[in-house]
């Protein structure tokens, strides 16, 4: 049997094409439900739950939960570690797919051997190939990868034969995607696509959580979110209240925490006004797509709503006001993607009948370029070969010249995906080494061919005088900062992974001050800038708050969004009163939990109790080759800061006004490799060595 699978961020669905009725049908899961939560739960007893069962666990805080892992698809990062085993998003997706497939096989009594899997249109090459691998890891042939909005349009265009231009507005649980397609006589041509992959229904859920917690704090001075199980329960419950508000005018939300009980009423009007900015963020994406295609709203005939979040009545109203176009909502808005995939599965099957006539063409969401040296020879640039929104499949050729006198027998080619001319603003997709050509130093011309196949996956081939050459894919080096520098100083060193723990003093004094800005706000802003400056895939941050107690606000992550969110959460009340503790031991265990150099940045405005303890812990860090940088202002004790800093100039004394500047200095020192980050700073075996030739 062939199926279509919508592998969603928050919910997934499986469909097949029913030849008897000539219609795609959803295959229900073991619970009889049409959609399955994209959640996996690892239980302490070793059991692993997937889907519905896992989502239930999510709210009562048992085991380790993985949700929304699709957001990290293809980036190779560890999404969950459990029982000594690491799982990437690709592994988790494979587990979810396996579950979906098994359920569907049980429901139909047939074996599934082939699947079309959908991905967001903006997914890049890494993310697409990771999705294919995840499918193949569970033993099915992935006959095609198809863009979600395209799938939705297929399920729609298939029903409606009239010629028109349609904007597919897909607001899911964690992502937003907008795509413009042209439908002619049942044929579908995608003409452009754009997305924001950190915007979705979960942001509406979060608004409800914030709404009730803010009131709870006002009344009782405690934040229910400080308790993780309570927080998780609230997030899951908020989704339910949100769905209720799609049909009811108001909901009553009970909240019990820390011995206090409260009840809050939220009306749909209030809910809509506190989430207005989220809809408006989708508007920016739509407008940007319209602009980039050089069309206007009047060129759009209809707007097709896709994704569970478009069930909120505010969405169609908002779109009607924005565009003046007809907005079409289907009752199966969160099933259309799976159904379109099921139709595609059939379309690509050799003995398809009737459906064959329908042609579907898609575009690429990202430009494809090659790393080149700029004309002045002073910097690298991204030379775009295939423009975004080009129809796929597509192929382009580029001539590469080896100058007379150069007798090299290899060429290294880096492929970039992205719109910017600045290489480091793009994704470095692949490194290939081309060899096998004749070069006697007389000057050589080599043709390199780039191809986007119909899955949106990139292929590279090379030729000399029409004869194919060896093209060997090699891992992209972890450290590619040289692409931002002068081509003359391209180094051949390895990437240095950095684990940075930021420890922020959250004692009461951080909320007091006589200037315009509270210390805590100045600190948050400086840390935000600091993170923004240093953030890249090789830099992991953790955030620790300390006062009388210690709280790990964010575990190590290289997800900029997660860390910035956790900075927003920082507040003085979040660490409770209790016995005195120094954050250094905690920070030390966090930064040593991963390979790479460890850096601890401590920000404090006061005098610490049990200084000796802290100095002792600092010594432990020094023994582990961890760099401690101590920033003090206000009442902070300079000589103490010098004692805990582990490098020369590692104690910085500043003022609230200049805190940003100070953090800027630290960021520069860290990124330039000063401040204890010199080679060899990491203890043996802890620096990650990239697999270089
Ligand atoms: P994804 O493709 O991102 O996995 P879906 O398209 O299935 O997600 O949409 C899931 C999102 O839709 C969730 O945030 C869910 O809360 C939201 N949703 C589903 N039904 C409703 C509803 N009736 N009202 C509001 N939001 C809804
Ligand atoms: Mg979806």
């Amino acid at each position: 049997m062939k199926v279509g699978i919508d592998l969603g961020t928050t919910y997934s669905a499986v469909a097949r094409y029913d030849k008897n009725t000539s219609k795609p049908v959803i295959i229900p899961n073991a619970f009889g439900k049409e959609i399955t939560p994209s959640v996996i739960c690892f239980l302490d007893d070793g059991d692993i739950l997937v889907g519905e069962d896992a989502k239930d666990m999510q709210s009562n805080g048992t085991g380790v939960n993985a949700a929304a892992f699709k957001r990290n698809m293809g980036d190779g990062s560890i999404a969950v570690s459990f029982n000594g085993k690491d799982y990437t998003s690709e592994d988790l997706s494979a587990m979810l797919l396996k579950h979906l497939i098994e359920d569907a096989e049980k429901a139909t009594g047939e074996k599934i051997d082939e699947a079309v899997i959908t991905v967001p249109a903006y997914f890049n090459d890494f993310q697409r190939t990771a999705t294919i691998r995840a499918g193949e890891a569970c033993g099915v042939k992935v006959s095609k990868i198809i863009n979600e909005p395209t799938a939705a349009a297929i399920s729609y265009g298939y029903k409606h034969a009239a010629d028109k231009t349609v904007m597919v507005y897909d607001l899911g649980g964690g992502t937003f995607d907008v795509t413009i397609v042209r439908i002619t006589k049942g044929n579908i041509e995608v003409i452009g696509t754009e997305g924001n992959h950190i915007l979705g229904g979960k942001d509406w859920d979060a608004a409800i959580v914030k709404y009730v917690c803010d009131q709870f704090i006002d009344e009782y001075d405690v934040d229910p979110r400080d308790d993780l199980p309570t927080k998780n329960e609230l997030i899951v419950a908020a989704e339910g209240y949100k769905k209720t508000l799609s049909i009811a005018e108001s909901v009553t939300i009970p909240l019990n925490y820390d011995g206090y009980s409260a009840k809050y009423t939220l009306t749909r009007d209030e809910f809509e006004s506190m989430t207005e900015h989220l809809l408006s963020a989708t508007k920016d994406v739509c407008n940007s797509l319209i602009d980039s295609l050089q069309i206007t709203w009047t060129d759009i005939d209809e707007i097709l709503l896709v994704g569970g979040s478009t069930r909120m009545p505010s969405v169609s109203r908002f779109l009607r006001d924005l565009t003046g176009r007809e907005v079409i909502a289907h009752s199966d808005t969160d099933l259309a993607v799976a159904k379109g995939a099921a139709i595609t599965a059939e379309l690509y099957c050799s003995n398809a009948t009737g459906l064959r006539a329908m042609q579907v063409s898609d575009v690429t969401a990202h430009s494809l370029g090659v790393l080149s040296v700029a004309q002045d020879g002073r910097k690298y640039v991204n030379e775009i070969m295939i423009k975004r929104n080009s129809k796929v499949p597509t192929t382009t050729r580029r001539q590469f010249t080896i100058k007379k006198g150069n007798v090299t027998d290899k060429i290294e080619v880096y492929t970039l995906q992205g719109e910017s001319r600045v290489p480091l603003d793009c994704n470095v997709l692949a490194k290939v080494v081309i060899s096998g050509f004749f070069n006697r130093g007389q000057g050589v011309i080599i043709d390199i061919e780039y191809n986007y196949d119909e899955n949106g996956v990139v292929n590279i081939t090379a030729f000399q005088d029409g004869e194919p050459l060896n093209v060997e894919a090699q891992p992209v080096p972890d450290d590619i900062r040289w692409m931002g520098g002068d081509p003359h100083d391209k180094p051949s060193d390895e990437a240095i992974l950095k684990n940075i723990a930021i420890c922020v003093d959250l004692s009461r004094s951080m909320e007091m001050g006589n200037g315009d800005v509270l210390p805590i706000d100045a600190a948050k802003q400086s840390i935000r800038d600091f993170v923004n400056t240093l953030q890249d895939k090789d830099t992991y941050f953790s955030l620790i708050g300390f006062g009388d107690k210690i709280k790990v606000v964010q575990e190590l992550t290289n997800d900029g969004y997660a860390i910035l969110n956790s900075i927003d959460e920082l507040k003085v009340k979040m660490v409770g009163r209790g016995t005195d503790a120094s954050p250094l031991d905690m920070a030390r265990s966090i930064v040593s939990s991963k390979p790479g150099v460890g850096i601890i940045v401590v920000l404090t405005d006061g005098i610490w109790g049990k200084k000796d303890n802290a100095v002792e812990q600092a010594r432990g860090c020094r023994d582990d080759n961890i760099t401690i940088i101590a920033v003090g202002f206000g009442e902070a004790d300079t000589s103490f800061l010098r004692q805990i800093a582990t490098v020369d100039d590692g104690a910085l004394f500043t003022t609230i006004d200049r805190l940003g500047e100070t953090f800027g200095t630290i960021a520069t020192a860290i990124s330039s490799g000063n401040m204890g980050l010199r080679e060899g700073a990491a203890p043996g075996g802890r620096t990650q060595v990239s697999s270089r030739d």
Side-chain angles (χ1 to χ4, degrees):
M1 178 173 52
K2 297 180 173 60
V3 292
I5 303 179
D6 171 4
L7 189 61
T9 314
T10 49
Y11 288 97
S12 297
V14 184
R16 75 189 162 87
Y17 188 77
D18 181 352
K19 293 192 186 101
N20 297 326
T21 58
S22 302
K23 281 197 176 99
V25 287
I26 293 290
I27 307 176
N29 66 18
F31 291 81
K33 297 236 173 99
E34 294 181 308
I35 56 175
T36 301
S38 306
V39 182
I40 297 179
C41 181
F42 297 82
L43 294 179
D44 293 332
D45 63 9
D47 269 1
I48 299 176
L49 303 178
V50 186
E52 214 74 58
D53 291 329
K55 174 125 182 172
D56 288 344
M57 286 295 169
Q58 193 175 12
S59 51
N60 62 31
T62 319
V64 175
N65 254 290
F69 40 85
K70 180 172 164 183
R71 274 183 30 199
N72 289 85
M73 196 66 171
D75 70 4
S77 67
I78 308 297
V80 180
S81 291
F82 190 74
N83 268 349
K85 216 174 159 261
D86 291 337
Y87 299 86
T88 62
S89 294
E90 185 180 321
D91 301 330
L92 297 173
S93 298
M95 291 160 73
L96 173 60
L97 277 168
K98 184 154 177 281
H99 174 84
L100 294 170
I101 288 168
E102 282 172 0
D103 263 15
E105 287 180 338
K106 261 182 234 147
T108 57
E110 282 180 61
K111 174 140 183 45
I112 293 172
D113 35 38
E114 226 176 285
V116 168
I117 304 178
T118 60
V119 297
Y122 63 77
F123 254 27
N124 66 26
D125 187 74
F126 295 138
Q127 298 163 312
R128 283 166 200 268
T129 42
T131 306
I132 295 176
R133 281 195 305 262
E136 287 176 350
C138 39
V140 292
K141 177 167 182 275
V142 180
S143 47
K144 192 168 162 53
I145 289 289
I146 168 171
N147 292 339
E148 288 159 11
T150 311
I154 289 172
S155 96
Y156 171 73
Y158 159 76
K159 297 176 215 157
H160 301 72
D163 295 1
K164 55 184 72 150
T165 303
V166 176
M167 174 183 262
V168 184
Y169 179 99
D170 180 0
L171 189 58
T175 55
F176 171 64
D177 234 333
V178 58
T179 303
I180 296 176
V181 299
R182 178 88 206 127
I183 300 175
T184 15
K185 300 191 185 62
N187 294 337
I188 296 172
E189 184 192 5
V190 175
I191 53 179
T193 183
E194 198 148 324
N196 176 343
H197 62 293
I198 55 169
L199 180 67
K202 62 163 179 36
D203 297 306
W204 275 261
D205 304 345
I208 295 180
V209 173
K210 183 173 183 318
Y211 172 82
V212 292
C213 288
D214 282 353
Q215 296 189 59
F216 202 86
I217 295 169
D218 275 352
E219 268 178 80
Y220 305 111
D221 208 23
V222 282
D223 187 342
R225 288 168 295 191
D226 285 347
D227 177 53
L228 197 63
T230 310
K231 182 179 167 183
N232 286 339
E233 218 172 282
L234 260 175
I235 292 173
V236 173
E239 187 186 357
Y241 296 122
K242 174 187 72 177
K243 289 182 181 170
T244 306
L245 281 174
S246 292
I247 43 175
E249 289 303 325
S250 75
V251 283
T252 306
I253 306 176
L255 181 48
N256 303 311
Y257 177 66
D258 210 14
Y260 304 109
S261 297
K263 247 187 195 147
Y264 301 108
T265 304
L266 176 61
T267 66
R268 189 194 289 168
D269 281 347
E270 284 168 324
F271 177 53
E272 289 180 353
S273 67
M274 74 201 198
T275 51
E276 219 172 64
H277 62 288
L278 298 171
L279 278 183
S280 144
T282 71
K283 172 169 94 182
D284 298 341
V285 179
C286 295
N287 281 333
S288 151
L289 177 61
I290 293 269
D291 290 349
S292 74
L293 294 174
Q294 295 180 314
I295 57 174
T296 63
W297 283 111
T298 52
D299 295 313
I300 307 285
D301 298 306
E302 278 174 12
I303 295 168
L304 173 62
L305 299 184
V306 178
S309 298
T310 61
R311 290 230 165 90
M312 293 185 289
S314 52
V315 173
S316 33
R317 196 174 350 105
F318 160 81
L319 281 169
R320 216 164 282 129
D321 292 348
L322 171 69
T323 67
R325 304 283 96 189
E326 193 181 348
V327 179
I328 313 276
H330 285 280
S331 53
D332 66 351
T333 173
D334 38 16
L335 307 176
V337 171
K339 288 183 178 176
I343 296 171
T344 310
E346 202 57 35
L347 199 71
Y348 275 76
C349 144
S350 49
N351 52 9
T353 46
L355 278 167
R356 272 255 160 128
M358 187 173 89
Q359 300 285 323
V360 177
S361 75
D362 216 324
V363 297
T364 161
H366 306 277
S367 297
L368 189 71
V370 58
L371 183 74
S372 315
V373 175
Q375 239 158 20
D376 63 6
R378 304 285 294 275
K379 59 172 188 284
Y380 289 105
V381 291
N382 170 29
E383 198 72 64
I384 290 183
M385 311 288 299
I386 300 177
K387 280 217 181 79
R388 64 179 297 231
N389 289 329
S390 299
K391 230 182 198 191
V392 294
T394 178
T395 300
T396 186
R397 268 193 181 217
R398 178 178 196 255
Q399 273 195 345
F400 192 97
T401 322
I402 300 175
K403 288 207 186 97
K404 220 171 159 173
N406 181 343
V407 292
T408 181
D409 58 355
K410 282 194 179 77
I411 315 175
E412 273 183 10
V413 179
Y414 287 90
T415 312
L416 306 172
Q417 207 168 38
E419 309 318 310
S420 170
R421 205 159 154 74
V422 179
L424 290 181
D425 289 348
C426 304
N427 263 312
V428 180
L429 271 196
K431 172 188 177 187
V432 295
V433 176
I434 298 171
S435 60
F437 47 83
F438 296 104
N439 181 6
R440 301 209 169 79
Q442 303 296 317
V444 173
I445 290 177
I446 290 175
D447 287 309
I448 303 180
E449 206 168 272
Y450 291 85
N451 158 268
Y452 259 119
D453 69 16
E454 39 190 28
N455 293 333
V457 169
V458 177
N459 303 290
I460 301 171
T461 43
F463 305 87
Q464 183 177 34
D465 299 329
E467 291 296 318
L469 298 172
N470 299 333
V471 178
E472 190 201 338
Q474 291 195 349
V476 175
D478 286 333
D479 190 351
I480 49 167
R481 279 173 302 184
W482 53 268
M483 290 186 189
D486 191 311
H488 298 104
D489 4 286
K490 178 186 162 194
S492 56
D493 60 354
E494 67 222 28
I496 299 178
L497 292 185
K498 296 185 202 100
N499 302 319
I500 305 178
I502 307 168
C503 306
V504 190
D505 192 332
L506 295 178
S507 57
R508 304 276 150 179
S509 58
M510 289 291 282
E511 249 189 349
M512 300 172 208
N514 33 26
D516 292 337
V517 188
L518 289 178
I520 180 72
D521 293 327
K524 283 162 82 165
Q525 193 49 47
S526 312
I527 297 169
R528 244 178 244 126
D529 294 343
F530 176 77
V531 167
N532 276 327
T533 310
L534 289 174
Q535 214 262 319
D536 69 24
K537 76 174 190 1
D538 294 323
T539 307
Y540 288 73
F541 295 94
S542 161
L543 193 61
I544 301 169
F546 66 94
D548 290 345
K549 279 185 178 168
I550 301 169
K551 185 178 165 90
V552 178
V553 186
Q554 175 65 53
E555 293 286 356
L556 272 187
T557 176
N558 63 350
D559 176 346
Y561 182 70
I563 181 80
L564 290 174
N565 254 349
S566 69
I567 296 169
D568 289 340
E569 273 177 33
L570 283 182
K571 55 185 172 329
V572 163
K573 284 187 194 130
M574 73 197 300
V575 283
R577 289 175 178 280
T579 47
D580 164 65
S582 152
L584 292 175
D585 263 354
M586 175 62 79
R588 172 184 173 189
S589 78
I590 289 179
V591 300
S592 338
S593 65
K594 263 180 32 31
V597 292
I599 302 165
I600 300 172
V601 181
V602 183
L603 172 65
T604 179
D605 74 336
I607 298 166
W608 289 17
K610 299 211 182 139
K611 283 185 201 164
D612 292 348
N613 238 342
V615 171
E616 186 55 39
Q617 294 184 9
R619 208 166 288 140
C621 292
R622 191 194 305 255
D623 291 343
D624 265 357
N625 276 328
I626 291 167
T627 304
I628 301 178
I629 300 164
V631 182
F633 64 93
E635 304 280 320
D637 172 347
T638 26
S639 74
F640 167 67
L641 294 186
R642 272 196 209 103
Q643 274 180 288
I644 61 168
T646 58
V647 284
D648 296 342
D649 302 319
L652 294 99
F653 202 76
T654 183
T655 61
I656 295 183
D657 296 339
R658 307 194 55 182
L659 200 53
E661 213 176 299
T662 307
F663 267 87
T665 312
I666 301 172
T668 313
I670 290 177
S671 62
S672 65
N674 290 329
M675 273 199 179
L677 287 172
R678 286 171 305 274
E679 230 189 306
R686 291 190 31 221
T687 307
Q688 198 185 30
V689 180
S690 70
S691 43
R692 271 192 58 80
D693 38 314

